[in-house]
Amino acid sequence: MNTAGKLWGVGVGPGDPELLTVKAARVIGAADVVAFHSAQHGRSISRGLASGYMRDGQIEEHLVYPVTTETTSHPGGYQGAIDEFYESAAARLAAHLDAGRSVVLLAEGDPLFYSSYMHMHKRLADRFEVEIVPGVTSVSAASAALATPLVERDEVFTVLPGTLPADELARRLRGTDAAVIMKLGRTYPTVLEALERSGRLTEARYVERASTPEQRVLDASDADNVPYFSMIVVPSPSNRSETPSGTGEVVVVGLGPGDDAWTTDEVRAELAAATDLVGYVTYVDRVPQRPGQIRHSSDNKVESERAAFALDLAKQGRRVAVVSSGDPGVFAMATAVIEVAAEEQWNSVPVRVMPGMTAANAVASRVGAPLGHDYAVVSLSDRLKPWDVVASRLAAVAGADMAIAIYNPASKSRTWQVGAMKELLLEHRSPQTPVVIGRAVGSADESVRTVTLGELDPESIDMRCLLIVGSSMTTVVDTGSGPKVFTSRRYPSKVPSSASG
């Protein structure tokens, strides 16, 4: 009775025969059967790489794909033809294994990295003994061709297939430090579009047939006649030039209100690309440290000076990210930067603004939809505007029966404004009006509760709070997941009496 043979998945490397491992060469030479794939033209790259290690008398199994990029008349279409091929190929290899023969299935690069070997592995590994001999991947070969490190320290590296839609590729490129994009060829126009949309095109390098005599290395935008065996490499932030565009700029970014999950991929990409970070120390400290990136932290009361400093850095050719919490255009740094940038000495410096989730939206989400209809956003701080202006705006919004998101309600030096706000609003709103108190939302210290306007205790409010005061249409309801607050989008034709109890 024959003992079943062993299946070997053997990586033969990215293209240079000398990049086969010693173990791969030994296993190939000892096998009874050597199997390999090719397209219908019959030329197998993996077989060519292994040929110098094969011996006379070995059985060869040439597994020819019925379709690659061509059309097919198979009733199941492309997928039906491929599935049928894999089943047939697995049966051919299983016959050798059942007969007690050892079978090597060659794989370009590594057997378990975007390899045809995996389809045989899934069909045979539960029936026969299997061993994998890892190989040098094309990713490593491309990095070597560029002589550029892929990633360092705690940077994130992503491998992407070029077959993804452009918007998904762009989203993932914005959200990672370094990347390679594989499976090019016909997908290349889509890949270029994604690189452009993600702002990574100027960093991207094109590597074709890495480690072979036909190897080519180009800027991504210069590549043409792109074959399947090529890839895009986007280097790590630590290995980019300081100013890829050749000129400095200021990008004002919003981190969101506290939770890192609320920082957008677009903002992450700008932070990764920046040579310098400028901002209030609490916000700058939220950004991960990056090798070579310079951090300029300051107090929260020097917005104009901070803006001028950032613009000066950009004039020197630096790529500067000015960091805000929440959205940079809501009581944050975008206004200061744009105002200062309009001065003659800085009006040649490019300035962009990247949005972020607002604290108001974050707090609202925790309780439901209290900002579901018209609402206003008001800061109680009277540091940059007099209190009589604040009071007149609160009265106007309250009289218009709109929900109100209250920013900067209190601080160590401002302790009376919440009480004054409460008295003013009670002139227009029922004491039963819902008030949402969100404190440190998105952080480990988060707390969110709902009280009535009449119950609101000004002493309980500090600088980490944001308040949402409802309108006459704001309601607290019980749901399967607990109490929720919403402001109806339907409004009666007759406005209710705003001061009614």
Side-chain angles (χ1 to χ4, degrees):
M1 180 178 178
N2 289 333
T3 301
K6 182 175 181 178
L7 174 65
W8 296 81
V10 177
V12 295
D16 181 348
E18 293 184 337
L19 291 179
L20 268 77
T21 64
V22 173
K23 184 171 184 177
R26 176 178 62 78
V27 171
I28 291 168
D32 299 315
V33 180
V34 177
F36 48 89
H37 291 85
S38 83
Q40 293 186 19
H41 52 59
R43 299 184 298 276
S44 171
I45 295 175
S46 60
R47 202 276 182 201
L49 293 173
S51 61
Y53 307 101
M54 294 171 63
R55 56 179 171 79
D56 293 339
Q58 285 179 302
I59 301 170
E60 297 188 24
E61 282 287 357
H62 188 179
L63 310 175
V64 181
Y65 283 107
V67 60
T68 49
T69 60
E70 309 88 357
T71 58
T72 177
S73 60
H74 192 282
Y78 173 86
Q79 195 58 51
I82 288 296
D83 288 343
E84 185 177 282
F85 163 70
Y86 287 142
E87 291 297 332
S88 173
R92 289 166 62 182
L93 300 187
H96 290 296
L97 294 166
D98 282 331
R101 302 185 186 103
S102 60
V103 177
V104 161
L105 179 54
L106 303 176
E108 295 155 40
D110 181 88
L112 299 179
F113 186 75
Y114 288 128
S115 166
S116 297
Y117 166 80
M118 290 184 286
H119 300 286
M120 298 298 97
H121 184 88
K122 292 175 182 178
R123 290 167 170 80
L124 298 172
D126 61 341
R127 299 163 51 194
F128 302 101
E129 182 184 2
V130 174
E131 185 171 337
I132 307 298
V133 180
V136 177
T137 69
S138 56
V139 173
S140 296
S143 178
L146 292 176
T148 300
L150 286 174
V151 279
E152 297 182 19
R153 297 175 62 176
D154 56 355
E155 293 170 340
V156 176
F157 172 63
T158 303
V159 179
L160 299 167
T163 49
L164 291 175
D167 57 350
E168 180 65 8
L169 271 176
R171 183 183 72 81
R172 291 178 179 268
L173 284 166
R174 285 192 294 265
T176 192
D177 295 312
V180 298
I181 307 175
M182 306 180 68
K183 299 180 181 291
L184 302 185
R186 293 188 301 173
T187 67
Y188 201 63
T190 298
V191 170
L192 282 178
E193 179 186 348
L195 287 166
E196 179 70 36
R197 287 167 57 178
S198 64
R200 315 287 303 258
L201 181 59
T202 57
E203 309 162 34
R205 299 282 282 163
Y206 169 87
V207 182
E208 178 179 315
R209 296 187 172 91
S211 82
T212 73
E214 294 78 30
Q215 173 179 295
R216 288 200 306 160
V217 177
L218 303 166
D219 289 337
S221 56
D222 293 337
D224 57 0
N225 300 317
V226 174
Y228 183 81
F229 290 103
S230 57
M231 72 176 59
I232 289 295
V233 180
V234 182
S236 75
S238 303
N239 294 284
R240 300 175 194 157
S241 61
E242 286 194 347
T243 53
S245 65
T247 59
E249 67 170 345
V250 172
V251 183
V252 192
V253 302
L255 301 178
D259 191 329
D260 287 343
W262 286 336
T263 302
T264 68
D265 289 342
E266 185 177 44
V267 167
R268 292 181 197 278
E270 295 295 345
L271 293 171
T275 61
D276 297 75
L277 301 184
V278 174
Y280 174 41
V281 59
T282 301
Y283 305 149
V284 171
D285 285 349
R286 285 178 53 189
V287 181
Q289 296 272 357
R290 297 180 185 277
Q293 193 175 68
I294 303 174
R295 302 157 80 91
H296 310 272
S297 301
S298 57
D299 182 79
N300 201 28
K301 299 178 181 178
V302 289
E303 292 183 351
S304 296
E305 294 88 339
R306 189 184 302 138
F309 179 74
L311 291 161
D312 270 338
L313 287 175
K315 283 183 70 174
Q316 299 168 30
R318 312 289 288 180
R319 188 167 178 174
V320 185
V322 176
V323 182
S324 289
S325 181
D327 182 280
V330 180
F331 304 124
M333 280 301 299
T335 299
V337 172
I338 293 171
E339 183 177 12
V340 175
E343 297 179 20
E344 184 176 357
Q345 59 181 315
W346 291 299
N347 62 16
S348 63
V349 176
V351 175
R352 293 185 291 120
V353 178
M354 295 289 107
M357 182 187 290
T358 69
N361 291 142
V363 171
S365 72
R366 293 304 202 228
V367 297
L371 302 179
H373 202 349
D374 300 338
Y375 70 94
V377 177
V378 177
S379 170
L380 286 197
S381 174
D382 57 356
R383 189 171 65 85
L384 298 177
K385 63 180 183 291
W387 176 254
D388 60 349
V389 172
V390 177
S392 66
R393 291 177 179 179
L394 285 171
V397 174
D401 196 31
M402 297 166 63
I404 318 169
I406 304 293
Y407 279 70
N408 306 312
S411 69
K412 293 179 180 179
S413 62
R414 292 187 301 103
T415 58
W416 57 269
Q417 282 88 345
V418 176
M421 175 202 75
K422 177 180 175 178
E423 291 180 9
L424 190 153
L425 293 180
L426 283 171
E427 296 176 11
H428 301 269
R429 299 282 166 90
S430 163
Q432 300 306 311
T433 301
V435 178
V436 180
I437 304 171
R439 186 180 186 279
V441 170
S443 76
D445 300 324
E446 173 180 318
S447 68
V448 181
R449 57 195 176 95
T450 302
V451 300
T452 66
L453 183 57
E455 295 170 338
L456 177 63
D457 177 12
E459 297 297 325
S460 69
I461 307 302
D462 63 24
M463 63 189 299
R464 301 188 72 188
C465 291
L466 181 136
L467 311 181
I468 297 177
V469 181
S471 73
S472 66
M473 302 302 294
T474 302
T475 307
V476 181
V477 295
D478 286 324
T479 69
S481 57
K484 297 292 184 205
V485 184
F486 76 98
T487 300
S488 177
R489 296 176 63 193
R490 298 179 179 87
Y491 206 81
S493 57
K494 182 178 180 180
V495 179
S497 176
S498 58
S500 64

